[in-house]
Amino acid sequence: MTDKSYSSSDIKILSDREHVRLRTSIYLGSTEATTYEVPIFEKDDIRIKQKEFIPALFKSFNEISDNAIDELTQLKKKDKKVSIMHDTITNKFKVCDNGRGVPIDIHDQTGRHTPETVFTELRSGRNFDDSAKDSGVIGTNGVGSSCVAMISEDFQVSIRRDGKFYEQMYHDGTAKILEPSVNLYNGKDTGTCIEFKFDTSLPQFASTKVDAELINNRAIEIALNNPEIELSYVRKQLDDSGEEEQISESYFFKGGFGEYVKKVSERFFEFKYDHPEFTAKYYVILDKYQGIDEKIFVYVNSSLLFEGGTASHMFFNTFFTSIGEKLKSEVKKRKVDLNKNDVRQNLLVLADVKMKNPRYDNQSKTRLISQEIKKHIEKMVADNISKFLSQHKDWVEEVLSRAEFRQRIADMAEVKKGQRKKRGKLAKLIDCYSKDRSMCSIAFSEG
């Protein structure tokens, strides 16, 4: 064993920029390729896909688009718009909003222009006062956009505000900050545009490409979760012949998630709840997914919880418990017991939640840990469960049939167990029967 000396010279102090570039995962999530299940929203269908991507890169894009959403969420105006451009050829992104625009005056604390302070200083932001923050605001820690600038090869800020046009460039992860240009602007439009390209020299990223379908889907998600925002999406790419082409889409859902779900599903129910601190719409969809485990995708303040958390498991547990209580007499009549597997099969849930001061287990915001929402979820389910069951009696029968099928399997197992003990006459076979014939099967064996 080597006896290595240990002295003050071994202690290093990194700048914010150096730390973000060296330990990116602390601020933006994993830098390793990771696979998550994601709902993909197509024009006429919902598909659940396994998508592999680097969370830190996707989160970086979201940090910039989240700023645009936050600005418009806190703004009372008509014709709210966000535009997203994804250049898959050069791996550049551009996100614009038509909000008020980041203030372009000199900041009191730094002596520099406010945009430069916002985008190059960690822990600079407007969302630190939790008591004053509106419900639905995504930003919490004031580090997101500056982290993105610090891992970007190029980062450009353009702002229209107060009759002026502000433009500034940062290069090499903000190592080079160019002087801003501020010119007069005669147009009426206001807002902020951010254009950036990830730094390909960073060793933690094997690639800086981001799945184009994920970005397109994120644009749709923003529009679904924010019915007051019109989203325009542009993707530049190479066609099959190697020529550059541009694909443009516009997404606007005046009725939010409900409008979309109604279009693609014939068997769904909306659990809804409205409270100043917690507004929610949980869409239980019964005809778009086939599987033994439930799929619950919750968007908190427009952001998908890739790893779920309290908003997901609290809903399912309350949903299951409430169904058990409502069907207690029917379960007793049929002499079966109900378990979670009977309920979760083929169950798809999409949820749009807006709340004040959500708490996550990390900066990447993939898992919600807020406990105080339990009372809201319990009341939401209690207020809606009777209506749900009365409108979906066919689904109730499917659940009970699964319970009956399990019971018959258990009875047959008991019979076989008794046969082995008696070693005598073969007991009478038990019929395998269900109104749902897909739950019945027959097996043949030789011997």
Side-chain angles (χ1 to χ4, degrees):
M1 183 176 180
T2 304
D3 184 13
K4 185 179 179 181
S5 61
Y6 176 53
S7 66
S8 60
S9 62
D10 294 309
I11 306 299
K12 295 182 179 180
I13 299 177
L14 300 180
S15 67
D16 286 342
R17 173 185 175 273
E18 291 169 332
H19 197 257
V20 170
R21 289 171 68 83
L22 184 65
R23 296 288 183 258
T24 307
S25 59
I26 294 176
Y27 301 90
L28 296 167
S30 174
T31 57
E32 301 291 332
T34 308
T35 300
Y36 287 109
E37 282 189 320
V38 179
I40 301 297
F41 300 103
E42 300 176 350
K43 288 184 178 180
D44 300 307
D45 202 6
I46 303 169
R47 299 188 187 277
I48 299 173
K49 291 187 177 181
Q50 296 275 347
K51 302 293 287 186
E52 183 180 86
F53 58 95
I54 296 175
L57 295 177
F58 187 55
K59 179 61 180 175
S60 295
F61 164 76
N62 283 326
E63 289 288 359
I64 302 303
S65 60
D66 288 351
N67 283 350
I69 300 169
D70 278 352
E71 166 61 10
L72 297 180
T73 296
Q74 300 178 81
L75 189 63
K76 293 182 179 179
K77 69 169 291 184
K78 295 181 180 179
D79 303 321
K80 298 180 181 181
K81 295 180 180 179
V82 171
S83 65
I84 294 172
M85 187 278 290
H86 182 197
D87 188 336
T88 64
I89 304 170
T90 62
N91 292 325
K92 277 190 176 182
F93 295 91
K94 186 175 183 178
V95 179
C96 299
D97 67 72
N98 67 338
R100 295 162 294 185
V102 176
I104 57 178
D105 54 357
I106 301 298
H107 195 271
D108 291 340
Q109 288 179 263
T110 63
R112 293 178 287 158
H113 284 87
T114 300
E116 184 177 329
T117 300
V118 169
F119 295 110
T120 67
E121 293 282 347
L122 290 190
R123 300 171 295 280
S124 60
R126 58 178 170 176
N127 293 324
F128 296 126
D129 186 353
D130 290 345
S131 62
K133 197 186 306 180
D134 293 336
S135 179
V137 171
I138 308 169
T140 56
N141 299 323
V143 301
S145 58
S146 49
C147 284
V148 179
M150 290 173 184
I151 64 166
S152 293
E153 181 180 307
D154 299 306
F155 192 96
Q156 180 174 344
V157 180
S158 304
I159 301 166
R160 290 175 173 84
R161 179 187 169 112
D162 302 329
K164 297 177 181 178
F165 179 67
Y166 177 101
E167 194 169 28
Q168 189 173 25
M169 286 285 296
Y170 318 132
H171 297 295
D172 190 21
T174 70
K176 300 175 184 176
I177 300 176
L178 303 187
E179 283 295 316
S181 66
V182 184
N183 299 301
L184 293 178
Y185 172 67
N186 295 324
K188 294 182 179 180
D189 294 339
T190 59
T192 303
C193 284
I194 304 296
E195 187 171 359
F196 63 99
K197 179 183 179 182
F198 294 120
D199 191 342
T200 56
S201 71
L202 291 173
Q204 61 265 42
F205 298 122
S207 170
T208 56
K209 286 184 176 292
V210 183
D211 190 312
E213 185 176 44
L214 270 181
I215 300 299
N216 186 11
N217 198 63
R218 180 61 187 144
I220 299 172
E221 291 173 350
I222 293 172
L224 288 171
N225 283 277
N226 300 276
E228 74 281 6
I229 295 178
E230 180 180 346
L231 202 296
S232 62
Y233 167 78
V234 175
R235 182 171 71 248
K236 294 181 180 179
Q237 62 184 28
L238 298 178
D239 62 19
D240 294 337
S241 62
E243 296 294 320
E244 183 177 324
E245 65 176 354
Q246 182 169 295
I247 297 174
S248 300
E249 298 285 354
S250 181
Y251 304 113
F252 180 65
F253 300 94
K254 188 176 181 180
F257 252 116
E259 176 185 332
Y260 176 81
V261 172
K262 186 177 181 180
K263 179 181 178 182
V264 301
S265 171
E266 296 179 354
R267 295 178 70 200
F268 74 93
F269 183 86
E270 178 188 16
F271 285 81
K272 53 187 176 181
Y273 183 79
D274 193 3
H275 187 276
E277 295 180 356
F278 185 86
T279 300
K281 294 179 180 179
Y282 280 73
Y283 296 93
V284 175
I285 302 170
L286 306 173
D287 61 354
K288 284 295 167 184
Y289 165 67
Q290 296 290 317
I292 60 174
D293 295 322
E294 79 282 2
K295 300 299 178 187
I296 301 180
F297 300 100
V298 180
Y299 295 84
V300 171
N301 297 350
S302 305
S303 185
L304 176 60
L305 302 173
F306 285 102
E307 298 178 71
T310 51
S312 299
H313 71 248
M314 282 180 178
F315 173 79
F316 180 76
N317 289 339
T318 305
F319 179 69
F320 169 73
T321 301
S322 300
I323 288 174
E325 292 173 352
K326 292 292 183 180
L327 300 182
K328 188 180 295 183
S329 59
E330 186 64 23
V331 166
K332 184 177 181 181
K333 177 182 174 182
R334 299 196 188 196
K335 298 180 180 179
V336 296
D337 67 311
L338 205 62
N339 70 23
K340 288 185 177 180
N341 291 331
D342 303 323
V343 174
R344 60 170 34 113
Q345 188 170 328
N346 304 334
L347 193 69
L348 172 62
V349 180
L350 300 173
D352 173 12
V353 172
K354 299 295 190 296
M355 60 182 292
K356 292 192 71 171
N357 305 320
R359 296 192 308 282
Y360 305 92
D361 65 350
N362 54 46
Q363 167 61 21
S364 59
K365 302 174 185 175
T366 56
R367 183 190 299 276
L368 188 75
I369 60 174
S370 300
Q371 298 294 319
E372 69 277 7
I373 66 174
K374 184 179 181 181
K375 62 183 179 181
H376 298 303
I377 291 177
E378 288 178 342
K379 190 171 191 314
M380 176 184 68
V381 175
D383 291 346
N384 290 273
I385 194 66
S386 295
K387 187 177 180 181
F388 166 76
L389 293 174
S390 66
Q391 290 184 5
H392 295 283
K393 294 179 180 178
D394 54 345
W395 179 80
V396 172
E397 186 57 39
E398 291 172 11
V399 170
L400 293 171
S401 293
R402 285 194 281 269
E404 287 179 324
F405 180 72
R406 279 192 308 98
Q407 188 63 56
R408 291 181 183 278
I409 295 296
D411 290 344
M412 291 175 68
E414 285 297 318
V415 169
K416 290 181 179 180
K417 184 178 179 181
Q419 290 172 359
R420 288 195 296 269
K421 287 182 177 179
K422 292 180 180 179
R423 295 181 181 275
K425 186 177 179 180
L426 192 66
K428 183 179 178 180
L429 294 176
I430 297 174
D431 289 336
C432 177
Y433 174 75
S434 171
K435 291 181 181 180
D436 181 0
R437 304 309 292 172
S438 66
M439 300 299 296
C440 300
S441 61
I442 184 169
F444 296 92
S445 62
E446 184 179 348

mmCIF file of all heavy atoms in Angstrom, residues 78-110:
data_model
loop_
_atom_site.group_PDB
_atom_site.id
_atom_site.type_symbol
_atom_site.label_atom_id
_atom_site.label_comp_id
_atom_site.label_asym_id
_atom_site.label_seq_id
_atom_site.Cartn_x
_atom_site.Cartn_y
_atom_site.Cartn_z
ATOM 1 N N LYS A 78 -52.719 38.085 -24.466
ATOM 2 C CA LYS A 78 -53.283 37.210 -25.478
ATOM 3 C C LYS A 78 -52.176 36.801 -26.455
ATOM 4 O O LYS A 78 -51.111 37.391 -26.496
ATOM 5 C CB LYS A 78 -54.412 37.921 -26.222
ATOM 6 C CG LYS A 78 -55.612 38.254 -25.332
ATOM 7 C CD LYS A 78 -56.700 38.934 -26.140
ATOM 8 C CE LYS A 78 -57.904 39.261 -25.258
ATOM 9 N NZ LYS A 78 -58.978 39.943 -26.024
ATOM 10 N N ASP A 79 -52.459 35.777 -27.237
ATOM 11 C CA ASP A 79 -51.530 35.342 -28.289
ATOM 12 C C ASP A 79 -50.143 35.017 -27.750
ATOM 13 O O ASP A 79 -49.124 35.531 -28.215
ATOM 14 C CB ASP A 79 -51.410 36.411 -29.387
ATOM 15 C CG ASP A 79 -52.748 36.767 -30.011
ATOM 16 O OD1 ASP A 79 -53.559 35.845 -30.211
ATOM 17 O OD2 ASP A 79 -52.985 37.959 -30.278
ATOM 18 N N LYS A 80 -50.110 34.159 -26.753
ATOM 19 C CA LYS A 80 -48.823 33.703 -26.219
ATOM 20 C C LYS A 80 -48.207 32.705 -27.191
ATOM 21 O O LYS A 80 -48.879 31.769 -27.639
ATOM 22 C CB LYS A 80 -49.024 33.048 -24.848
ATOM 23 C CG LYS A 80 -49.582 33.984 -23.787
ATOM 24 C CD LYS A 80 -49.744 33.260 -22.455
ATOM 25 C CE LYS A 80 -50.319 34.179 -21.388
ATOM 26 N NZ LYS A 80 -50.451 33.492 -20.080
ATOM 27 N N LYS A 81 -46.937 32.894 -27.491
ATOM 28 C CA LYS A 81 -46.302 32.043 -28.496
ATOM 29 C C LYS A 81 -44.897 31.618 -28.070
ATOM 30 O O LYS A 81 -44.141 32.397 -27.501
ATOM 31 C CB LYS A 81 -46.219 32.778 -29.843
ATOM 32 C CG LYS A 81 -47.583 33.083 -30.456
ATOM 33 C CD LYS A 81 -47.440 33.808 -31.777
ATOM 34 C CE LYS A 81 -48.803 34.110 -32.375
ATOM 35 N NZ LYS A 81 -48.692 34.841 -33.673
ATOM 36 N N VAL A 82 -44.579 30.367 -28.366
ATOM 37 C CA VAL A 82 -43.231 29.833 -28.195
ATOM 38 C C VAL A 82 -42.833 29.151 -29.496
ATOM 39 O O VAL A 82 -43.643 28.423 -30.091
ATOM 40 C CB VAL A 82 -43.160 28.814 -27.028
ATOM 41 C CG1 VAL A 82 -41.800 28.108 -27.006
ATOM 42 C CG2 VAL A 82 -43.411 29.497 -25.694
ATOM 43 N N SER A 83 -41.627 29.386 -29.947
ATOM 44 C CA SER A 83 -41.133 28.702 -31.147
ATOM 45 C C SER A 83 -39.875 27.922 -30.799
ATOM 46 O O SER A 83 -39.037 28.380 -30.021
ATOM 47 C CB SER A 83 -40.845 29.700 -32.274
ATOM 48 O OG SER A 83 -39.785 30.566 -31.920
ATOM 49 N N ILE A 84 -39.791 26.742 -31.391
ATOM 50 C CA ILE A 84 -38.641 25.857 -31.171
ATOM 51 C C ILE A 84 -38.059 25.470 -32.516
ATOM 52 O O ILE A 84 -38.784 25.001 -33.403
ATOM 53 C CB ILE A 84 -39.055 24.591 -30.395
ATOM 54 C CG1 ILE A 84 -39.495 24.958 -28.972
ATOM 55 C CG2 ILE A 84 -37.919 23.568 -30.359
ATOM 56 C CD1 ILE A 84 -40.088 23.793 -28.208
ATOM 57 N N MET A 85 -36.761 25.668 -32.679
ATOM 58 C CA MET A 85 -36.065 25.232 -33.883
ATOM 59 C C MET A 85 -34.996 24.220 -33.486
ATOM 60 O O MET A 85 -34.194 24.465 -32.588
ATOM 61 C CB MET A 85 -35.431 26.422 -34.608
ATOM 62 C CG MET A 85 -34.819 26.072 -35.975
ATOM 63 S SD MET A 85 -33.153 25.353 -35.872
ATOM 64 C CE MET A 85 -32.206 26.765 -35.339
ATOM 65 N N HIS A 86 -35.005 23.072 -34.148
ATOM 66 C CA HIS A 86 -34.000 22.032 -33.903
ATOM 67 C C HIS A 86 -33.299 21.735 -35.222
ATOM 68 O O HIS A 86 -33.898 21.175 -36.146
ATOM 69 C CB HIS A 86 -34.683 20.770 -33.362
ATOM 70 C CG HIS A 86 -33.716 19.672 -33.036
ATOM 71 N ND1 HIS A 86 -34.111 18.356 -32.867
ATOM 72 C CD2 HIS A 86 -32.360 19.677 -32.859
ATOM 73 C CE1 HIS A 86 -33.067 17.615 -32.584
ATOM 74 N NE2 HIS A 86 -31.994 18.391 -32.585
ATOM 75 N N ASP A 87 -32.054 22.129 -35.312
ATOM 76 C CA ASP A 87 -31.246 21.858 -36.499
ATOM 77 C C ASP A 87 -30.474 20.565 -36.245
ATOM 78 O O ASP A 87 -29.468 20.562 -35.537
ATOM 79 C CB ASP A 87 -30.282 23.024 -36.746
ATOM 80 C CG ASP A 87 -29.544 22.908 -38.079
ATOM 81 O OD1 ASP A 87 -29.409 21.765 -38.573
ATOM 82 O OD2 ASP A 87 -29.103 23.941 -38.604
ATOM 83 N N THR A 88 -30.960 19.469 -36.798
ATOM 84 C CA THR A 88 -30.328 18.171 -36.564
ATOM 85 C C THR A 88 -29.041 18.009 -37.361
ATOM 86 O O THR A 88 -28.291 17.052 -37.132
ATOM 87 C CB THR A 88 -31.291 17.026 -36.922
ATOM 88 O OG1 THR A 88 -31.579 17.048 -38.320
ATOM 89 C CG2 THR A 88 -32.601 17.142 -36.154
ATOM 90 N N ILE A 89 -28.788 18.912 -38.296
ATOM 91 C CA ILE A 89 -27.565 18.843 -39.104
ATOM 92 C C ILE A 89 -26.385 19.403 -38.313
ATOM 93 O O ILE A 89 -25.303 18.808 -38.259
ATOM 94 C CB ILE A 89 -27.742 19.618 -40.422
ATOM 95 C CG1 ILE A 89 -28.961 19.083 -41.189
ATOM 96 C CG2 ILE A 89 -26.472 19.500 -41.282
ATOM 97 C CD1 ILE A 89 -29.356 19.933 -42.386
ATOM 98 N N THR A 90 -26.600 20.547 -37.670
ATOM 99 C CA THR A 90 -25.529 21.191 -36.895
ATOM 100 C C THR A 90 -25.697 20.974 -35.388
ATOM 101 O O THR A 90 -24.845 21.415 -34.609
ATOM 102 C CB THR A 90 -25.505 22.705 -37.175
ATOM 103 O OG1 THR A 90 -26.752 23.279 -36.750
ATOM 104 C CG2 THR A 90 -25.304 22.974 -38.659
ATOM 105 N N ASN A 91 -26.804 20.334 -34.989
ATOM 106 C CA ASN A 91 -27.120 20.108 -33.568
ATOM 107 C C ASN A 91 -27.327 21.409 -32.796
ATOM 108 O O ASN A 91 -26.951 21.531 -31.633
ATOM 109 C CB ASN A 91 -26.028 19.281 -32.876
ATOM 110 C CG ASN A 91 -25.994 17.850 -33.388
ATOM 111 O OD1 ASN A 91 -27.029 17.278 -33.696
ATOM 112 N ND2 ASN A 91 -24.804 17.297 -33.496
ATOM 113 N N LYS A 92 -27.931 22.378 -33.457
ATOM 114 C CA LYS A 92 -28.245 23.640 -32.807
ATOM 115 C C LYS A 92 -29.717 23.687 -32.402
ATOM 116 O O LYS A 92 -30.576 23.065 -33.030
ATOM 117 C CB LYS A 92 -27.950 24.821 -33.740
ATOM 118 C CG LYS A 92 -26.502 25.269 -33.741
ATOM 119 C CD LYS A 92 -26.357 26.579 -34.502
ATOM 120 C CE LYS A 92 -24.918 27.097 -34.418
ATOM 121 N NZ LYS A 92 -24.762 28.399 -35.118
ATOM 122 N N PHE A 93 -29.992 24.465 -31.344
ATOM 123 C CA PHE A 93 -31.355 24.685 -30.886
ATOM 124 C C PHE A 93 -31.614 26.186 -30.796
ATOM 125 O O PHE A 93 -30.708 26.969 -30.500
ATOM 126 C CB PHE A 93 -31.573 24.073 -29.497
ATOM 127 C CG PHE A 93 -31.455 22.587 -29.448
ATOM 128 C CD1 PHE A 93 -30.229 21.975 -29.186
ATOM 129 C CD2 PHE A 93 -32.556 21.777 -29.666
ATOM 130 C CE1 PHE A 93 -30.112 20.603 -29.138
ATOM 131 C CE2 PHE A 93 -32.454 20.394 -29.625
ATOM 132 C CZ PHE A 93 -31.229 19.801 -29.352
ATOM 133 N N LYS A 94 -32.863 26.540 -31.037
ATOM 134 C CA LYS A 94 -33.262 27.927 -30.842
ATOM 135 C C LYS A 94 -34.664 27.940 -30.247
ATOM 136 O O LYS A 94 -35.577 27.308 -30.774
ATOM 137 C CB LYS A 94 -33.238 28.702 -32.164
ATOM 138 C CG LYS A 94 -33.514 30.196 -31.993
ATOM 139 C CD LYS A 94 -33.360 30.930 -33.328
ATOM 140 C CE LYS A 94 -33.550 32.433 -33.147
ATOM 141 N NZ LYS A 94 -33.368 33.169 -34.427
ATOM 142 N N VAL A 95 -34.822 28.654 -29.128
ATOM 143 C CA VAL A 95 -36.112 28.750 -28.448
ATOM 144 C C VAL A 95 -36.444 30.220 -28.260
ATOM 145 O O VAL A 95 -35.631 30.983 -27.725
ATOM 146 C CB VAL A 95 -36.089 28.045 -27.072
ATOM 147 C CG1 VAL A 95 -37.441 28.190 -26.384
ATOM 148 C CG2 VAL A 95 -35.716 26.574 -27.225
ATOM 149 N N CYS A 96 -37.644 30.631 -28.711
ATOM 150 C CA CYS A 96 -38.072 32.021 -28.592
ATOM 151 C C CYS A 96 -39.448 32.097 -27.934
ATOM 152 O O CYS A 96 -40.276 31.190 -28.101
ATOM 153 C CB CYS A 96 -38.156 32.688 -29.970
ATOM 154 S SG CYS A 96 -36.599 32.753 -30.881
ATOM 155 N N ASP A 97 -39.674 33.168 -27.195
ATOM 156 C CA ASP A 97 -41.009 33.441 -26.657
ATOM 157 C C ASP A 97 -41.349 34.898 -26.925
ATOM 158 O O ASP A 97 -40.469 35.714 -27.206
ATOM 159 C CB ASP A 97 -41.060 33.150 -25.151
ATOM 160 C CG ASP A 97 -40.212 34.106 -24.331
ATOM 161 O OD1 ASP A 97 -40.609 35.286 -24.195
ATOM 162 O OD2 ASP A 97 -39.150 33.684 -23.813
ATOM 163 N N ASN A 98 -42.641 35.206 -26.869
ATOM 164 C CA ASN A 98 -43.064 36.590 -27.077
ATOM 165 C C ASN A 98 -43.505 37.227 -25.767
ATOM 166 O O ASN A 98 -44.507 37.937 -25.691
ATOM 167 C CB ASN A 98 -44.167 36.681 -28.136
ATOM 168 C CG ASN A 98 -45.473 36.039 -27.686
ATOM 169 O OD1 ASN A 98 -45.475 35.194 -26.787
ATOM 170 N ND2 ASN A 98 -46.584 36.428 -28.288
ATOM 171 N N GLY A 99 -42.736 36.945 -24.716
ATOM 172 C CA GLY A 99 -42.990 37.557 -23.416
ATOM 173 C C GLY A 99 -42.440 38.966 -23.339
ATOM 174 O O GLY A 99 -42.234 39.641 -24.361
ATOM 175 N N ARG A 100 -42.169 39.415 -22.141
ATOM 176 C CA ARG A 100 -41.698 40.788 -21.935
ATOM 177 C C ARG A 100 -40.242 40.978 -22.326
ATOM 178 O O ARG A 100 -39.791 42.092 -22.563
ATOM 179 C CB ARG A 100 -41.882 41.182 -20.467
ATOM 180 C CG ARG A 100 -43.329 41.249 -20.019
ATOM 181 C CD ARG A 100 -43.456 41.199 -18.521
ATOM 182 N NE ARG A 100 -43.008 39.899 -17.996
ATOM 183 C CZ ARG A 100 -43.107 39.554 -16.716
ATOM 184 N NH1 ARG A 100 -43.627 40.398 -15.850
ATOM 185 N NH2 ARG A 100 -42.691 38.363 -16.318
ATOM 186 N N GLY A 101 -39.491 39.876 -22.355
ATOM 187 C CA GLY A 101 -38.053 39.971 -22.608
ATOM 188 C C GLY A 101 -37.304 40.146 -21.305
ATOM 189 O O GLY A 101 -37.762 40.856 -20.399
ATOM 190 N N VAL A 102 -36.163 39.474 -21.183
ATOM 191 C CA VAL A 102 -35.332 39.628 -19.990
ATOM 192 C C VAL A 102 -34.914 41.103 -19.881
ATOM 193 O O VAL A 102 -34.547 41.717 -20.888
ATOM 194 C CB VAL A 102 -34.074 38.737 -20.078
ATOM 195 C CG1 VAL A 102 -33.157 38.972 -18.883
ATOM 196 C CG2 VAL A 102 -34.474 37.269 -20.171
ATOM 197 N N PRO A 103 -34.978 41.697 -18.692
ATOM 198 C CA PRO A 103 -34.549 43.096 -18.539
ATOM 199 C C PRO A 103 -33.131 43.305 -19.077
ATOM 200 O O PRO A 103 -32.263 42.453 -18.891
ATOM 201 C CB PRO A 103 -34.598 43.319 -17.022
ATOM 202 C CG PRO A 103 -35.628 42.339 -16.542
ATOM 203 C CD PRO A 103 -35.482 41.136 -17.429
ATOM 204 N N ILE A 104 -32.903 44.419 -19.747
ATOM 205 C CA ILE A 104 -31.604 44.620 -20.405
ATOM 206 C C ILE A 104 -30.807 45.762 -19.772
ATOM 207 O O ILE A 104 -29.797 46.198 -20.323
ATOM 208 C CB ILE A 104 -31.782 44.892 -21.921
ATOM 209 C CG1 ILE A 104 -32.682 46.113 -22.156
ATOM 210 C CG2 ILE A 104 -32.367 43.671 -22.602
ATOM 211 C CD1 ILE A 104 -32.852 46.461 -23.630
ATOM 212 N N ASP A 105 -31.244 46.220 -18.595
ATOM 213 C CA ASP A 105 -30.503 47.289 -17.923
ATOM 214 C C ASP A 105 -29.295 46.717 -17.176
ATOM 215 O O ASP A 105 -29.023 45.516 -17.222
ATOM 216 C CB ASP A 105 -31.423 48.051 -16.961
ATOM 217 C CG ASP A 105 -32.114 47.117 -15.964
ATOM 218 O OD1 ASP A 105 -31.908 45.883 -16.062
ATOM 219 O OD2 ASP A 105 -32.857 47.609 -15.094
ATOM 220 N N ILE A 106 -28.568 47.563 -16.486
ATOM 221 C CA ILE A 106 -27.407 47.136 -15.701
ATOM 222 C C ILE A 106 -27.886 46.608 -14.360
ATOM 223 O O ILE A 106 -28.663 47.262 -13.662
ATOM 224 C CB ILE A 106 -26.410 48.306 -15.480
ATOM 225 C CG1 ILE A 106 -25.919 48.848 -16.828
ATOM 226 C CG2 ILE A 106 -25.232 47.832 -14.627
ATOM 227 C CD1 ILE A 106 -25.153 47.857 -17.667
ATOM 228 N N HIS A 107 -27.407 45.423 -13.991
ATOM 229 C CA HIS A 107 -27.830 44.807 -12.738
ATOM 230 C C HIS A 107 -27.071 45.417 -11.559
ATOM 231 O O HIS A 107 -25.845 45.588 -11.610
ATOM 232 C CB HIS A 107 -27.592 43.288 -12.794
ATOM 233 C CG HIS A 107 -28.299 42.531 -11.716
ATOM 234 N ND1 HIS A 107 -27.742 42.300 -10.487
ATOM 235 C CD2 HIS A 107 -29.542 41.979 -11.689
ATOM 236 C CE1 HIS A 107 -28.596 41.608 -9.749
ATOM 237 N NE2 HIS A 107 -29.699 41.407 -10.445
ATOM 238 N N ASP A 108 -27.804 45.718 -10.489
ATOM 239 C CA ASP A 108 -27.209 46.408 -9.330
ATOM 240 C C ASP A 108 -26.091 45.612 -8.671
ATOM 241 O O ASP A 108 -25.069 46.184 -8.257
ATOM 242 C CB ASP A 108 -28.292 46.710 -8.279
ATOM 243 C CG ASP A 108 -29.274 47.762 -8.764
ATOM 244 O OD1 ASP A 108 -28.916 48.502 -9.695
ATOM 245 O OD2 ASP A 108 -30.389 47.828 -8.221
ATOM 246 N N GLN A 109 -26.266 44.285 -8.547
ATOM 247 C CA GLN A 109 -25.293 43.492 -7.794
ATOM 248 C C GLN A 109 -24.024 43.187 -8.575
ATOM 249 O O GLN A 109 -22.940 43.084 -8.002
ATOM 250 C CB GLN A 109 -25.933 42.174 -7.333
ATOM 251 C CG GLN A 109 -26.962 42.329 -6.220
ATOM 252 C CD GLN A 109 -27.559 40.998 -5.829
ATOM 253 O OE1 GLN A 109 -28.628 40.612 -6.280
ATOM 254 N NE2 GLN A 109 -26.871 40.260 -4.969
ATOM 255 N N THR A 110 -24.154 43.028 -9.890
ATOM 256 C CA THR A 110 -22.985 42.611 -10.673
ATOM 257 C C THR A 110 -22.342 43.746 -11.454
ATOM 258 O O THR A 110 -21.176 43.639 -11.859
ATOM 259 C CB THR A 110 -23.386 41.505 -11.672
ATOM 260 O OG1 THR A 110 -24.345 42.033 -12.615
ATOM 261 C CG2 THR A 110 -23.980 40.312 -10.942
#
